[in-house]
């Protein structure tokens, strides 16, 4: 199993695809320091640079990336799912 997901912080809910990832593949994740951080079986195709759920995230729960909340789930997100604007509302411009 190759790694194709990068976690900015070990406890992040989502990791970043470092290549185009294919549905059904089991993909390993590593931290910025290169430490293994588990693996997930992909539920969707995930394009380069997009996020992958490393654990189940309930609706209305914060989505953690960089060790902090970057968005809120607008629907339940399953482990291995593509995480993007269709299932997360960004907190970037929230006041």
């Amino acid at each position: 199993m190759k790694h194709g997901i990068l976690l900015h912080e070990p406890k992040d809910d989502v990791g970043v695809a470092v290549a185009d990832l294919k549905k059904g593949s089991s993909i390993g994740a590593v931290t910025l320091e290169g430490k293994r951080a588990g693996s997930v079986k992909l539920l969707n195709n995930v394009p380069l640079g997009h996020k992958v759920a490393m654990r189940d995230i309930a609706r209305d729960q914060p989505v953690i990336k960089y060790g902090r909340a970057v968005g809120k789930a607008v629907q339940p997100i399953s482990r291995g799912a593509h995480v993007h604007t269709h299932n997360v509302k960004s907190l970037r411009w929230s006041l």
Side-chain angles (χ1 to χ4, degrees):
M1 173 190 336
K2 67 176 187 171
H3 47 268
I5 299 170
L6 179 67
L7 289 174
H8 289 90
E9 296 290 336
K11 304 252 181 189
D12 284 351
D13 292 329
V14 295
V16 178
V18 298
D20 290 332
L21 304 177
K22 299 294 181 193
K23 177 182 177 177
S25 300
S26 290
I27 302 294
V30 295
T31 65
L32 288 173
E33 295 78 24
K35 294 183 181 179
R36 293 175 57 171
S39 65
V40 294
K41 184 171 183 177
L42 298 176
L43 302 178
N44 316 99
N45 290 330
V46 181
L48 168 69
H50 284 226
K51 295 179 286 300
V52 177
M54 296 303 294
R55 61 185 54 82
D56 292 337
I57 305 167
R59 183 173 186 245
D60 293 327
Q61 293 301 303
V63 175
I64 307 300
K65 181 179 175 186
Y66 310 113
R68 63 185 205 165
V70 295
K72 180 174 82 168
V74 297
Q75 65 187 47
I77 303 171
S78 297
R79 176 181 165 86
H82 178 208
V83 178
H84 200 55
T85 57
H86 66 284
N87 54 14
V88 172
K89 180 178 181 191
S90 175
L91 297 181
R92 180 175 289 236
W93 297 280
S94 296
L95 297 175

